[in-house]
Amino acid sequence: MMSNELLDRAKEKKTCNADSLGWRLLTVPNILSLFRLVLLIPTVWFLLKERNVLAFAFFVFSSITDALDGMIARRFHQKSEWGKILDPLADKLTLNILAMILAVKGRIPLFLAVVVLSRDAAILAGSFFLLTSKTLVLPSNVPGKITGIFFFAMICAGLLNIRWLLLYLVPVLTVLVLITWVIYGYNFLLNINPKKRNSDTL
C-alpha cells in the first residue's frame, strides 16, 4: 500500500514538472497576461472620459484574453512560474483599479472597493511568499470563484452605470468578500504550518 502511494505521488510530481515551463517568460499565456495590462490603459482612459460603452468593451475584451491564457496554458502545457504571478497580477490590477475609479465616481461604495483591494493585496503577497519559499500558491476555491463572478458583474454594471443592478450586487458581494477573506487567511496559515496541514489531511 505504502509503495503504491509513493509511486502515485512520484508519477504526479513527474507529470506536474513535465507540464511546467519553469521560469520561462515568453509564452503565449504570459504574453496575453501582459497584453491585459496594456488594455487597462484605454479602459481607464475611456472610463475617466465617461465613455462608458467603450470602457465596457475594452474590459470585456480584456476578460476574454484572461480566459484564453488559462485555456492555452492548460491545453498546450504552457504553465510557468511567471504565469502564476502575471495572470493573477493582471487580473487583480485590472479589477481593483477599475473598482477604485468607480468608487471615486460614486458608482460603487468606497468601503467595498477598499476591502476588495486589501484582500487581493494580501492574496498576492501571500501567494508570492509561498511561491518563492515553497513553490506553492494559494489555491482557488469555490467561494473565491463565486466572488470573482459577482465582482466581474459589479464592474460591468458599474462601467455601464446600471444602478438598479448594483443595488443587488453590492450587498451580496460584500458578504462574499468577507467570507473569502477568512478562507484565504486560513489556507495561508495551513500552507506555512506543515504540521497543521498534515493533521487536517489525516
Side-chain angles (χ1 to χ4, degrees):
M1 290 290 291
M2 182 62 69
S3 60
N4 289 337
E5 183 179 352
L6 291 174
L7 183 60
D8 290 340
R9 290 184 181 180
K11 288 181 178 178
E12 182 180 354
K13 185 175 181 182
K14 184 177 181 180
T15 302
C16 292
N17 290 337
D19 290 343
S20 176
L21 297 177
W23 287 97
R24 184 175 173 182
L25 177 61
L26 293 180
T27 65
V28 174
N30 291 346
I31 292 172
L32 286 174
S33 294
L34 293 171
F35 181 55
R36 200 153 75 249
L37 289 173
V38 175
L39 288 174
L40 181 58
I41 298 173
T43 307
V44 169
W45 173 261
F46 286 124
L47 178 58
L48 293 175
K49 293 296 182 179
E50 298 290 339
R51 305 290 297 274
N52 294 336
V53 175
L54 285 173
F56 172 74
F58 271 92
F59 175 64
V60 171
F61 182 46
S62 173
S63 301
I64 292 173
T65 66
D66 184 21
L68 281 176
D69 67 25
M71 182 185 69
I72 292 172
R74 291 186 297 270
R75 177 67 178 83
F76 298 100
H77 307 291
Q78 292 195 13
K79 297 177 182 179
S80 67
E81 300 303 315
W82 274 114
K84 295 177 183 179
I85 298 174
L86 290 175
D87 181 52
L89 180 64
D91 188 28
K92 295 186 185 306
L93 274 179
T94 298
L95 291 173
N96 281 283
I97 288 175
L98 293 179
M100 290 303 298
I101 296 175
L102 291 172
V104 171
K105 284 179 169 290
R107 299 187 188 182
I108 65 172
L110 180 61
F111 82 89
L112 179 57
V114 171
V115 170
V116 174
L117 176 63
S118 61
R119 185 206 64 164
D120 286 351
I123 291 173
L124 283 175
S127 296
F128 183 74
F129 169 78
L130 294 174
L131 180 63
T132 55
S133 60
K134 301 180 180 181
T135 320
L136 292 170
V137 290
L138 289 175
S140 181
N141 52 66
V142 174
K145 291 179 179 178
I146 294 174
T147 303
I149 293 172
F150 273 89
F151 194 30
F152 174 82
M154 187 191 71
I155 294 297
C156 289
L159 290 173
L160 295 175
N161 205 14
I162 308 176
R163 295 188 178 276
W164 67 266
L165 184 56
L166 290 169
L167 290 176
Y168 293 97
L169 291 173
V170 167
V172 175
L173 184 59
T174 301
V175 174
L176 289 172
V177 169
L178 294 176
I179 291 174
T180 54
W181 245 120
V182 175
I183 292 174
Y184 278 115
Y186 179 71
N187 286 339
F188 177 76
L189 291 177
L190 282 182
N191 276 283
I192 63 175
N193 189 345
K195 292 183 179 179
K196 175 66 176 176
R197 184 171 66 250
N198 292 336
S199 65
D200 284 356
T201 55
L202 293 178

